[in-house]
């Protein structure tokens, strides 16, 4: 598959792809399809976590191996919505056959997805979702049920702290405005409240899904609240949880014992921390769906219709599972 780095679009976003154009309809009626396979534009969130890197690797490897795909034009938008919008506009100009978007946040997509619709280019959401008002502007979303991930974390919390008078919780939220951050919060407290757990949310701030963000926010939590009467840290992803663990240890406390910790994703590093007793529960979020996405791209390009959401398979892991599961982790 011909690939070459093309001039960056806007500051910093790098576009990798072939010169071939797709067969997206355009106003001139020109149909410059490559003829030897589909040209796909993929606007990825960034490279902020092991999850994201594994997701990019999975999608790019599947596209490379799939004879039905002539080229995957990949853009790493560095967690910047404007760069994602610019990438999608560039895919439209190039008349790719299908656009795949992993929207960094839920809002602000109406105009650009309207432009894709006008150009007759179908859009598939990969991983994260967008606000329901725009659901007619994409064919389907392939990814996780983030609310269910939050419910799973909540259910373990209810079972673990059932006998406590009041469970004191710190929460490290994902990127502000992102579907996983919003929905993992919603699902978590939905279960705590519906199951009648007595709890106190001591503090909750965004660490932007990065290790640096998690460590920095945890340091602020520690300086503000101390750790002596904190029972649980709920971290919306592994990186923030691992950053928080550094801060907890630097404060002289024992993560996984002095404060119990839930993380979401299930990376190798997350499982290694769990095997070391520093993490107590892992809710899996599965990034390895490249093959499933390519099948979806081909079907959507062929005009097939789908439900608005297609869930990827994922599980949960407790103390008894960590050692055995670690060798199976793919990212
Ligand atoms: C979830 C994905 C999240 C991961 C983080 O599907 O969007 O973004 O949980 C990643 O690790 O940064």
């Amino acid at each position: 598959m011909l690939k070459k780095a093309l001039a960056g679009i806007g500051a910093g976003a790098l576009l990798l792809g072939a010169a071939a154009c797709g067969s997206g309809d355009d106003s001139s009626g020109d149909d410059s399809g490559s003829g030897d396979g589909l040209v796909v534009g993929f606007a990825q969130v960034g490279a902020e976590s092991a999850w994201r890197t594994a997701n990019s690797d999975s999608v790019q490897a599947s596209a490379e191996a799939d004879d039905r795909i002539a080229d995957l034009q990949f853009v790493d938008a560095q967690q910047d919505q404007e760069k994602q919008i610019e990438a999608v506009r560039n895919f439209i100009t190039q008349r790719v056959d299908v656009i795949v978007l992993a929207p960094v946040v839920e809002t602000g997509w109406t105009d650009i997805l309207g432009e894709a619709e006008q150009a007759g280019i179908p859009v598939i959401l990969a991983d994260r979702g967008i606000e329901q008002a725009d659901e007619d502007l994409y064919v389907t979303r392939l990814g996780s049920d983030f609310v269910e991930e939050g419910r799973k974390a909540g259910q373990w919390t209810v079972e673990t702290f059932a006998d406590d008078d009041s469970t004191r919780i710190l929460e490290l939220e994902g990127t502000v405005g992102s579907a996983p951050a919003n929905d993992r919060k919603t699902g978590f407290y939905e279960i705590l409240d519906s199951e009648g757990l007595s709890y106190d949310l001591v503090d909750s701030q965004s660490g932007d899904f990065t290790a640096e963000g998690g460590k920095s926010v945890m340091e602020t939590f520690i300086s503000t609240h101390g750790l002596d009467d904190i029972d649980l840290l709920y971290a919306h992803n592994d990186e923030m949880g691992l950053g928080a663990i550094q801060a907890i240890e630097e404060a002289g406390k024992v993560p996984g014992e002095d404060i119990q910790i839930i993380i979401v994703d299930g990376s190798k590093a997350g499982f290694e921390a769990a095997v070391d007793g520093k993490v107590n529960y892992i809710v899996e979020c599965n990034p390895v769906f490249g093959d499933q996405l390519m099948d979806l791209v081909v079907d959507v390009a062929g005009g097939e219709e789908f439900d608005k959401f297609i869930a990827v398979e994922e599980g949960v892991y407790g103390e008894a599972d960590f050692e055995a599961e670690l060798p199976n982790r793919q990212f």
Side-chain angles (χ1 to χ4, degrees):
M1 182 189 303
L2 168 65
K3 270 192 179 302
K4 64 178 184 178
L6 305 179
I9 38 171
L14 178 63
L15 176 69
L16 293 175
C21 287
S23 56
D25 304 331
D26 70 3
S27 56
S28 67
D30 170 30
D31 181 350
S32 53
S34 62
D36 62 359
L38 295 169
V39 176
V40 181
F42 178 24
Q44 177 61 293
V45 168
E48 74 282 359
S49 64
W51 190 101
R52 185 67 52 200
T53 304
N55 182 244
S56 296
D57 291 348
S58 172
V59 172
Q60 289 175 295
S62 297
E64 187 76 27
D66 194 322
D67 294 340
R68 303 168 297 177
I69 308 296
D71 185 50
L72 179 82
Q73 312 229 350
F74 177 85
V75 171
D76 166 351
Q78 298 166 308
Q79 291 184 285
D80 181 323
Q81 181 174 30
E82 283 313 307
K83 288 177 184 163
Q84 281 196 305
I85 290 171
E86 211 165 346
V88 171
R89 188 161 286 122
N90 194 60
F91 297 151
I92 294 168
T93 304
Q94 293 183 64
R95 299 197 308 283
V96 300
D97 295 297
V98 179
I99 292 170
V100 176
L101 170 67
V104 60
V105 291
E106 291 190 285
T107 56
W109 301 102
T110 310
D111 292 346
I112 189 62
L113 296 186
E115 291 174 34
E117 184 181 55
Q118 284 300 311
I121 302 176
V123 174
I124 296 170
L125 299 187
D127 177 24
R128 299 182 183 176
I130 63 177
E131 59 188 340
Q132 189 162 10
D134 286 339
E135 75 168 14
D136 291 341
L137 295 175
Y138 63 91
V139 177
T140 188
R141 175 173 80 91
L142 173 66
S144 301
D145 182 340
F146 304 124
V147 177
E148 188 55 29
E149 291 173 346
R151 292 192 188 107
K152 291 172 181 175
Q155 193 54 48
W156 179 85
T157 301
V158 167
E159 291 161 9
T160 303
F161 295 97
D163 302 330
D164 283 26
D165 292 339
S166 177
T167 303
R168 290 171 57 80
I169 299 169
L170 291 174
E171 182 180 15
L172 280 171
E173 299 176 14
T175 300
V176 175
S178 69
N182 293 337
D183 293 353
R184 285 170 184 164
K185 177 185 271 293
T186 298
F188 183 72
Y189 295 104
E190 173 195 297
I191 293 297
L192 267 54
D193 294 337
S194 64
E195 296 288 325
L197 183 77
S198 168
Y199 70 91
D200 175 15
L201 176 57
V202 175
D203 209 336
S204 180
Q205 283 182 45
S206 174
D208 204 22
F209 282 133
T210 66
E212 301 75 21
K215 185 170 190 284
S216 167
V217 170
M218 194 66 203
E219 286 166 347
T220 302
F221 284 164
I222 292 168
S223 62
T224 308
H225 308 287
L227 284 176
D228 290 342
D229 61 351
I230 299 294
D231 301 300
L232 173 69
L233 170 66
Y234 172 37
H236 288 189
N237 85 325
D238 292 13
E239 270 70 15
M240 294 191 294
L242 295 171
I245 284 169
Q246 283 184 20
I248 292 166
E249 290 177 324
E250 287 169 8
K253 295 290 185 182
V254 181
E257 291 181 26
D258 294 333
I259 176 172
Q260 303 220 35
I261 299 177
I262 300 171
I263 59 176
V264 184
D265 277 349
S267 63
K268 284 196 186 87
F271 269 85
E272 285 162 355
V275 167
D276 291 343
K278 299 179 180 179
V279 166
N280 304 90
Y281 197 62
I282 298 177
V283 176
E284 183 183 33
C285 181
N286 179 6
V288 184
F289 53 67
D291 287 349
Q292 198 175 353
L293 180 60
M294 291 308 120
D295 288 343
L296 198 52
V297 162
V298 170
D299 292 344
V300 165
E304 274 193 54
E305 296 188 356
F306 293 87
D307 291 342
K308 279 299 171 185
F309 172 50
I310 301 170
V312 295
E313 293 294 316
E314 48 201 28
V316 291
Y317 301 90
E319 189 177 355
D321 310 311
F322 297 142
E323 196 107 29
E325 178 59 22
L326 176 56
N328 303 328
R329 305 315 296 169
Q330 298 183 59
F331 64 104

